[in-house]
Amino acid sequence: MPPRPRPHGLLRPATARINQRIRRLMDEPNNEARAEEYRRLLVAWAEATRADLVKAA
C-alpha cells in the first residue's frame, strides 16, 4: 500500500530543517561558498523527499 500523502504544506522534520537552512543561507553574501552549500542542500532535499515519490507502474 502506498504511503498516505501528508496534507499540503506539511514537511517531514528532515525536509523542514533543510528548508530552514536554505532560507538562512539566502541571507548570506552571494559567493562560491554559498553556492556550494546551496548545491549540497539541494541534494539533501532530493534525498529527503525521495521517499515521497511513487514509482510509476
Side-chain angles (χ1 to χ4, degrees):
M1 178 176 233
R4 291 181 13 207
R6 285 184 295 285
H8 181 71
L10 294 180
L11 299 175
R12 290 187 291 160
T15 54
R17 282 191 302 274
I18 296 167
N19 188 44
Q20 182 181 30
R21 290 172 65 192
I22 290 171
R23 289 178 185 273
R24 279 187 280 150
L25 185 65
M26 293 301 107
D27 290 335
E28 295 179 11
N30 187 8
N31 57 35
E32 187 57 37
R34 181 181 106 165
E36 182 59 36
E37 178 66 3
Y38 182 68
R39 285 188 286 271
R40 191 186 69 72
L41 289 169
L42 287 180
V43 170
W45 176 270
E47 291 172 358
T49 59
R50 185 169 290 137
D52 291 340
L53 300 177
V54 178
K55 291 186 178 183

